[in-house]
Amino acid sequence: MLKHLRLLTVILFLAFTHFANADTYTHTFSAADSITAKTTTTTLSGINWSFAFVWNNKIPNIYFESTVGYHIGTNDNSAKSIRLSTIDIPGIIKSVKVKASTNLHANDTLSVLVNGALYGKNALTTNSTYYTFTGSASGKIEINFDQPQTSKAMYIQSITVEYSTIEKAAAGLSYSQNGYTAYMGQAFNAPLVNNPNNLMPISYSSSDQTAATVDPNSGDVTLVGEGTTTITATSAATDTYDAGSTSYSLTVNKQDAGLSYSIPTYSVNKGDVFATPTLTNPNGLPVNYNSSLTDVATVDQNNGNVSLVGAGMTTITASFLGDNIYKKDSALYTIVVNDPLKPFDKYIRVADASTLKAGDKLIITSYYKGLHALGEQNINGYREQVVKERDSDGSLSQIYGDGVTILTLEEGTAQGFWSLYDASNTGYLYAAGGTTSNLLNVGATRVDATISITDSLSTIAFQNQTARNILQYNGTSPRFSCYTSGQQQVQIYRKADAVLTITEAGYATISSTQPLDFSGIAGLTLYTVTSTSPEKVVLKEFSQLLVPANTAIIIKGFPGTYGIPFASTADPIQGTNLLKPTSNTTVIGDGSQYILGYDGTNVGFYHVTTGTIIAANKGYLDLSTGFGAKSFIPFDGDTTGISELKTVPTVDGQQPIYNLSGQRVDKNHKGIAIINGHKYINR
């Protein structure tokens, strides 16, 4: 029975202590140790030792002798006791061996204790001798020299300690996940650390206290701000376990503000009462409102109430600046204000002279310290006309009645030449200054001119003379006239027969009282709607590029404004098309209509409430039965969104950059950009 108990004891010891590694510490004293009578602590071969001397009389000198080590005391001034101690040697102390000696007739003893346990005691002799003391304990080592009855010198030459260290078990701390995400304003329940060995205490720390702080004792986390921090749990080493550590990453985000409008576009007539839509603001955040074009509509910055001012198109934006809890956010909708008495024409900048055709309505402009347009005739040439800035899409609009001259492009007297007809002055433009004056005038005779365009800058050269024949803008003496060179080049804007505006959604609808010709416009895909259900609207692509009058279609393309020419005739589109047109008129919603819309994420058809005005020259769905109060119907399949847009590459500053309207822009332009004939997103 006793043998079994002994065996069990050994097994349990091994189970809890694992296995021991034997090691040895040795220090042989030398003069370099610099030990004096005043030494209290010093490092000997990497271990810190404490010294304590008790003297019989006055404090003597301590010095090193090569044969016996350190000489401590004399016959007249000796030490009663010398104490050397250390706590820096780990594990189990198996033996302490000291080489020491004393003088003749001395009555000295040498003893060793470990953690208070006596390993042995021996009388010193006059010969340098190794004294070995054994035991099994861990902790503080004490080496004691004592001579309570005599007064002689003592000598110490070396110390050797044999010890064994126990390989400790891993602490085993862990978290069940490596990372967590939390949101400002929402409670975050910090995960509990897995502590299978019940190690105590556990302490906690956060690497970035601007993101989150942690209670050092409980591990409870307090969110502070956006960012990522590492929460670390640690335990100290014990006799059985190593020090432990585990951590998790915590990413702290702000919440989405959640601002939105249910309908993206409204169409009203000038003079109508506009019912301001309600902003969805689920968190009751402070919002400011802005109108992109205040001569179309103004908006109260505080409550969002809209007042119509004039015809045109404006975007109403509700903005939240962001705070410590919610992200910066905005929501917007567009108001199109129609003026039945004033056409809402669009003039698109001409970037390619080959697209010009007889019958085009043109405006001649210069962008030099503001936007200028060729205006009414005066004695010395056409005067300048300062007009409002270009629209947000780069086009010009609503220029009737502001003094800007509208020119009609006609074929010249010979192939490859053009004539510019001014109906308001019933004549053709020509260079009137001869060789001595810079003049632009109107005459009854058709005058040929060449038109070339490079980087959207136009050169119009009249052929009735060879000098002072180039139409340019003089910014010093503001006017449009004819010069040899040296003035500002002009730009040509052309009236669009029909205007197609594609928003950031990448889709639009269009209809017209005239047939439309899409054959000269790259990058557009045309669709009809073939079927509908509460779950989806099914689109069908078609390749016919001449679209008949009073036919509504869906267009997919890059965001921008496109001028669509009229066609003389067009064959009917084959197959089913459920889209209904609003050609040249508006439709008042009765609760059964759905219009194309985009909420920043989803493109599809949105239900419009009774009384909502559906804009002219668009398309809509009439789903009067079977759809109930379904607010949104998505497109079928993966047809939504703009594909194959690349981030704008690094340019060397020499490559021209254009927007979708053909205007040259600088490298800081945001949105869709054209470089070397390819479309990119410049973010």
Side-chain angles (χ1 to χ4, degrees), residues 636-683:
D636 181 34
D638 188 23
T639 59
T640 60
I642 301 174
S643 61
E644 299 180 359
L645 277 178
K646 303 176 181 177
T647 301
V648 68
T650 301
V651 296
D652 58 13
Q654 303 300 316
Q655 298 169 286
I657 307 173
Y658 304 93
N659 63 19
L660 288 172
S661 298
Q663 299 164 305
R664 189 165 183 176
V665 295
D666 63 26
K667 64 181 181 180
N668 297 316
H669 171 75
K670 303 299 183 183
I672 307 298
I674 302 173
I675 303 175
N676 290 334
H678 299 282
K679 293 185 176 74
Y680 299 90
I681 293 178
N682 196 21
R683 302 187 185 280

Side-chain angles (χ1 to χ4, degrees), residues 221-291:
V221 170
T222 301
L223 306 181
V224 178
E226 276 192 308
T228 299
T229 186
T230 300
I231 305 298
T232 302
T234 59
S235 63
T238 69
D239 292 342
T240 305
Y241 296 97
D242 285 327
S245 176
T246 187
S247 62
Y248 63 89
S249 174
L250 176 61
T251 299
V252 183
N253 296 325
K254 294 182 180 180
Q255 297 184 50
D256 291 330
L259 304 182
S260 67
Y261 284 107
S262 59
I263 300 176
T265 304
Y266 297 85
S267 179
V268 298
N269 287 328
K270 185 179 178 181
D272 290 348
V273 176
F274 178 70
T276 302
T278 300
L279 173 69
T280 299
N281 184 5
N283 301 299
L285 301 172
V287 173
N288 292 323
Y289 297 86
N290 173 264
S291 172

Side-chain angles (χ1 to χ4, degrees), residues 444-504:
T445 303
R446 186 186 302 268
V447 177
D448 288 339
T450 59
I451 301 177
S452 61
I453 301 176
T454 303
D455 294 342
S456 294
L457 296 176
S458 301
T459 299
I460 303 173
F462 296 103
Q463 302 301 296
N464 62 299
Q465 61 186 48
T466 58
R468 303 179 188 270
N469 67 329
I470 300 174
L471 178 56
Q472 294 183 320
Y473 175 69
N474 186 335
T476 304
S477 300
R479 72 187 67 181
F480 288 86
S481 195
C482 290
Y483 302 88
T484 301
S485 63
Q487 306 300 326
Q488 302 297 319
Q489 286 186 271
V490 298
Q491 304 95 40
I492 300 174
Y493 281 80
R494 173 173 52 198
K495 180 185 175 182
D497 291 330
V499 178
L500 171 68
T501 300
I502 299 179
T503 69
E504 61 180 352

Side-chain angles (χ1 to χ4, degrees), residues 624-636:
S624 56
T625 59
F627 289 83
K630 185 81 173 184
S631 62
F632 172 73
I633 308 174
F635 290 168
D636 181 34

